[in-house]
Amino acid sequence: MVDVTTLGEVLIDFTEAGTSDGGMSLFERNPGGAPANVLVALEHLGHSTAFLGKVGTDMHGEFLRGVLEGEGIDCTGLIADPDVFTTLAFVALAPTGERTFSFARKPGADTQIAPDDLAYDVIADSKVFHVGSLSLTDEPARSATHAALSFARDHGCTLSYDPNYRANLWPSAEAAAEQMRSIVPLMDLMKVSDEECELMTGHADPAEAASALLAQGPKVVAVTLGGSGALVACADGIREVPGFPADVVDTTGAGDSFWGGFLAAFVESGLAPEAVAVEDAAGFARMGNAVASLCVRGRGGIPSMPSREAVMELLA
């Protein structure tokens, strides 16, 4: 059985990498996509994973498949489609390591996975099934996401969700909120960033937002608080979990690495979602904070996902 399977985007992050002799910006090709980042973090922590999604039959799609397979991720459900181009994101970095995105996705291959494309046998063999929100922006990926979640629920998977708001991929904030909120009641485990709290719940305060999400169905909610760590909420309470000090180089994948660490600790606990107490969730978040802290000290994203040994050393 696979520990964690994800459905969603795997793409190229073209990240700013200095300037040419002529003064023009240079961009470095890096593998990315939030669901893929989560899986790489999990693989580095010793967990089995699988990815469902779509790329083009182009140089970028071949590169991404090679990266995922090289990390040990089962790519049975990764489809190469000759009719669409692999999704690209151009990433500008501020001196603080924060990012702004410009997407080449009209349409991108990740939006074109349909319900009939899904590797349902892979989902059925998974302990945790995880999705983001970029697969909700367009059809047919939106329908595929709903179909996959329904199937996963029927087959006993724990459902996990990390909404990942990118304003320029939605026609409006209202449209984003409608779709991104639509699957919350299905979830067992959920993560949001402090910046997404108001969009997802109408509450800017992380504790209020976490309580609002719990009331909709999730059993465990985590809110990432940037360098301050995270807040966790369960039926028996809410707690803040401090982060680890870090000299930030690149925040790309920081939230994904946190959730990879959180899910690793959840799987290792052997607990059902409804049995997770706030003390347990705080332990999961501490693992997530450690993974994220090590990730942002490097280039960000997949290239900087730390080893289990490095995480355990930080936690010791």
Side-chain angles (χ1 to χ4, degrees):
M1 177 167 274
V2 175
D3 288 337
V4 181
T5 294
T6 66
L7 166 69
E9 73 279 5
V10 61
L11 49 80
I12 301 295
D13 283 330
F14 279 111
T15 307
E16 280 190 322
T19 57
S20 68
D21 291 342
M24 297 293 103
S25 293
L26 297 174
F27 288 84
E28 180 182 65
R29 181 176 72 165
N30 287 301
N37 288 337
V38 170
L39 294 189
V40 174
L42 281 155
E43 285 284 345
H44 285 210
L45 294 170
H47 289 273
S48 57
T49 67
F51 181 81
L52 277 61
K54 183 172 281 193
V55 293
T57 53
D58 49 57
M59 62 186 290
H60 301 307
E62 292 174 2
F63 167 69
L64 290 170
R65 182 183 294 276
V67 168
L68 296 185
E69 291 180 343
E71 293 286 351
I73 297 167
D74 180 346
C75 290
T76 302
L78 177 59
I79 297 166
D81 187 337
D83 295 326
V84 286
F85 197 73
T86 301
T87 301
L88 311 177
F90 292 84
V91 187
L93 289 175
T96 60
E98 293 297 328
R99 309 145 296 153
T100 56
F101 293 84
S102 181
F103 288 89
R105 192 180 185 242
K106 298 181 179 180
D110 70 293
T111 69
Q112 298 305 297
I113 189 167
D116 288 347
D117 294 327
L118 296 173
Y120 288 102
D121 56 335
V122 175
I123 300 174
D125 195 40
S126 305
K127 295 177 183 176
V128 177
F129 184 69
H130 171 75
V131 298
S133 59
L134 266 63
S135 60
L136 298 172
T137 61
D138 297 272
E139 291 289 3
R142 183 183 301 160
S143 292
T145 302
H146 284 278
L149 288 170
S150 178
F151 182 88
R153 171 64 74 199
D154 289 345
H155 286 76
C157 300
T158 294
L159 298 188
S160 163
Y161 180 34
D162 178 9
N164 188 22
Y165 181 53
R166 297 284 179 258
N168 55 357
L169 295 180
W170 296 93
S172 66
E174 292 75 19
E178 178 183 3
Q179 292 299 329
M180 291 169 67
R181 295 179 183 186
S182 68
I183 60 175
V184 172
L186 302 174
M187 295 302 152
D188 298 302
L189 312 174
M190 186 171 172
K191 168 200 163 292
V192 294
S193 72
D194 51 356
E195 296 175 342
E196 293 161 342
C197 284
E198 188 164 11
L199 180 73
M200 291 301 299
T201 68
H203 301 282
D205 178 76
E208 292 179 3
S211 295
L213 291 169
L214 285 177
Q216 296 178 57
K219 308 302 185 295
V220 183
V221 173
V223 182
T224 52
L225 306 173
S228 298
L231 176 148
V232 293
C234 303
D236 68 330
I238 295 176
R239 182 177 301 180
E240 288 196 22
V241 184
F244 294 86
D247 293 326
V248 177
V249 174
D250 186 344
T251 61
T252 301
D256 308 327
S257 61
F258 168 86
W259 199 236
F262 191 102
L263 290 179
F266 166 75
V267 171
E268 290 164 20
S269 76
L271 293 170
E274 59 272 16
V276 175
V278 71
E279 183 72 23
D280 303 311
F284 304 164
R286 189 165 184 267
M287 170 77 91
N289 286 340
V291 179
S293 171
L294 292 167
C295 178
V296 300
R297 299 177 196 189
R299 295 162 57 201
I302 288 173
S304 294
M305 292 299 174
S307 67
R308 187 176 186 92
E309 291 72 20
V311 173
M312 292 300 105
E313 182 178 348
L314 184 59
L315 288 170

